[in-house]
């Protein structure tokens, strides 16, 4: 095998590979030998099938596999020998192997640009001290008590008020035709918590149990269902009952039932410890971000196009996802995907530049990510997304996402290294001023 490397740009490489016929024949013969051992053919004992029969029966599969195996083997050999580390998917342009003929192919990929790594050891930084207020603990206590509240009907013959629940059935019509998906039976609607359109809730608050009615309601322009956005919809409602939440008092017995705590005091201690640990991690992350931003702000080097495109796509997709989870559509914001791409391009560039800097630190400090660490990250992703681990792993493998995942883990290690070697001064938490 002979090859030559072309520097298409500071971050792009092209390698032209030439394979003599002798190596082509050896690759084909090796694949045929594997088929002879592993394949059963009627009329022959396993492992005793003549090569001519194997080649005739599995010609296409043999050529495909031999080509793939040879190219993959040679790519690894070239990359390791030249110390090349692609940061993008390797594009292969090749035909298939032909016996007794030379074989040529090209591969294209992107690499990290060369740049002078700035000073990253002994940096000066500030980190807010982790503190937990009495209000923080009270908020958790209230959420816990509300989760244990018992729902009970109210005897008073009156409409529901804010903080109560209206048990109702409802449906929607546009021009006399029912609207699919805008309907429910015996649904407990919390009043005053923003779970429904304000105009609809206000109408529900006029109906006593046993009463029904209908009202024309204009859906907002940014409603998630674009077919209903801005339209006038006739809402039909029947109120069955009004209910209230009976929240228990905070006692040792209640906290035992809620979370197995020994006492209220012990529960508050655990809440404080948990909040403190989370805030310390958040404050540490913020301090590290400031340290790295201070370095990256002065760096200027070309970015690998595909790496930048991938980061930009993910940032835009995350933004669109947040919009949709809030019950709105992208169209309702008045922006297009292309406009979002321009809006977030600078953020994507900073993100990629930061990762490249951190990967350079990892290389200089000989930091590594072990296979089991990648596996652990995949397990965490599967748990967070509530998906099967095997499905998540297969998705990452099939979409060439394992290398980007490994790089993110390696960048995290480099960030941790910078933090551990920085001079961090603890400061008082910044108090948020109440908006007037």
């Amino acid at each position: 095998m002979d090859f030559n490397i072309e520097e298409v740009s500071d971050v792009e490489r092209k390698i032209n590979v030439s394979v003599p016929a002798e190596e082509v024949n050896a690759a084909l013969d090796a694949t045929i030998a594997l088929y002879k051992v592993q394949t059963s053919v009627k009329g022959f004992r396993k492992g005793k099938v003549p090569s001519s029969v194997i080649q005739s029966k599995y010609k296409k599969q043999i050529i495909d596999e031999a080509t793939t195996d040879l190219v993959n083997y040679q790519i690894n050999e070239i990359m390791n020998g030249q110390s090349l580390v692609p940061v993008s998917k390797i594009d292969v342009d090749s035909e298939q192997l032909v016996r007794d003929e030379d074989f040529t192919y090209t591969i294209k990929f992107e690499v990290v640009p060369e740049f002078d790594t700035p000073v990253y050891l002994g940096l000066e930084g500030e980190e807010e001290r982790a503190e937990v207020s009495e209000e923080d603990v009270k908020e958790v206590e209230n959420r816990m008590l509300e989760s244990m509240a018992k729902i009970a009907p109210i005897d008073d013959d009156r409409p529901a008020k804010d903080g109560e629940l209206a048990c109702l059935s409802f449906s929607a019509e546009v021009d006399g035709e029912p609207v699919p998906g805008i309907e429910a039976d015996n649904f407990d609607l919390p009043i005053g918590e923003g779970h429904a359109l304000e105009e609809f809730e206000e109408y529900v608050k006029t109906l006593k149990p046993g009463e029904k009615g209908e009202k024309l309601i204009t859906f907002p322009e940014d409603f998630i269902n674009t077919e209903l956005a801005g339209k006038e919809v006739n809402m039909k409602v029947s109120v069955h009952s009004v209910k209230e939440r009976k929240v228990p008092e905070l006692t040792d017995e209640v906290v035992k039932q809620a979370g197995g705590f020994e006492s209220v005091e012990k529960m508050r201690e655990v809440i404080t410890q948990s909040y403190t640990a989370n805030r310390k991690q958040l404050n540490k992350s913020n301090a590290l971000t400031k340290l790295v931003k201070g370095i990256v702000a002065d760096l200027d080097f070309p970015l690998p196009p595909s790496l930048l495109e991938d980061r930009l796509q993910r940032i835009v997709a995350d933004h669109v996802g947040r919009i949709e989870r809030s019950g709105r559509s992208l169209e309702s914001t008045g922006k297009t995907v292309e406009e979002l791409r321009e809006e977030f391009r600078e953020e994507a560039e900073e993100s990629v530049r930061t990762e490249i800097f951190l990967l350079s630190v990892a290389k200089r400090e000989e930091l590594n990510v072990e296979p089991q660490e990648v596996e652990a990250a995949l397990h965490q992703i599967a748990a967070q997304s509530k998906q099967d681990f095997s499905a998540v792993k297969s998705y990452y493998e099939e979409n060439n996402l394992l290398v980007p995942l490994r790089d993110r883990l390696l960048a995290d290690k480099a960030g941790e290294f910078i933090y551990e070697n920085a001079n961090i001064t603890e400061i008082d938490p910044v108090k948020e001023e109440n908006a007037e």
Side-chain angles (χ1 to χ4, degrees), residues 131-134 136-138 140-141 143-144 255-256 258-279:
E131 289 185 355
V132 180
S133 67
E134 182 66 22
D136 294 327
V137 177
K138 281 287 185 185
V140 177
E141 291 175 355
R143 287 204 304 268
M144 181 201 68
V255 299
K256 285 178 184 177
F261 298 105
E262 297 175 8
S263 63
V264 172
E265 183 181 355
K266 186 63 178 178
M267 182 194 71
R268 286 177 171 162
E269 181 184 327
V270 171
I271 292 172
T272 301
Q273 290 174 347
S274 177
Y275 259 52
T276 301
N278 289 337
R279 292 225 170 128

Side-chain angles (χ1 to χ4, degrees), residues 12 23 52 55 58 64 67 86 90 102 143 158 185 187 189 198 200 220 233 267-268 282 296 313 322 362 391 413:
E12 297 171 292
E23 288 187 44
S52 57
Q55 292 182 72
Y58 300 103
D64 287 346
T67 303
I90 297 175
D102 293 344
R143 287 204 304 268
R158 61 168 175 77
D185 287 321
F187 174 71
L189 174 66
E198 184 178 355
F200 179 69
V233 179
M267 182 194 71
R268 286 177 171 162
L282 177 61
V296 175
Q313 285 183 3
R322 286 194 296 272
K413 281 194 174 185

Side-chain angles (χ1 to χ4, degrees), residues 330-349:
L330 175 60
E331 291 80 4
S332 71
T333 67
K335 294 184 178 180
T336 65
V337 170
E338 282 305 314
E339 288 173 332
L340 288 180
R341 286 173 59 86
E342 286 306 310
E343 182 179 327
F344 289 111
R345 180 169 295 278
E346 187 175 337
E347 179 182 334
E349 290 176 351

